[in-house]
Amino acid sequence: QVQLVESGGGLVQPGGSLKLSCAASLTIFRFNAMGWYRQAPGKQRDLVARVMRYGSPNYADSVKGRFTISRDFTKNTLYLQMNSLNAEDTAVYYCNAEQGDGGTYWGQGTQVTVSS
């Protein structure tokens, strides 16, 4: 079973920044795509940012210009740099990975709370 472990969440003031990490249990080269999703209480899990193996990243309109997704292939880790955070960014953030055989994997989630 593929393991994805998120870290870096926490409490931050409006306008602040956080950097989330997602460590994979195997080389991330094998994934067709990786991404970050978030889910607020009572809402559906929505795409935040996603990048294909050989593609450029795409972002939800609400985070464009503020969030940046990146990968460190030597560490098999996916990152999400979040700047200019606001209360609407409060959610549980999940790491996702997609395999060519259709398999989809999720991390356990990490809580991000933006509040003064």
Side-chain angles (χ1 to χ4, degrees), residues 28-67:
I28 62 175
F29 281 118
R30 69 153 50 217
F31 298 126
N32 281 3
M34 297 189 74
W36 290 95
Y37 295 71
R38 67 186 182 187
Q39 186 170 22
K43 291 190 173 183
Q44 186 176 344
R45 188 174 300 183
D46 293 325
L47 172 71
V48 176
R50 182 172 177 266
V51 60
M52 303 295 292
R53 181 191 286 117
Y54 301 113
S56 57
N58 60 84
Y59 300 91
D61 288 342
S62 60
V63 307
K64 285 181 179 177
R66 300 190 296 122
F67 291 10

Side-chain angles (χ1 to χ4, degrees), residues 92-104:
V92 177
Y93 284 71
Y94 296 91
C95 179
N96 170 265
E98 303 169 39
Q99 291 185 317
D101 62 1
T104 300

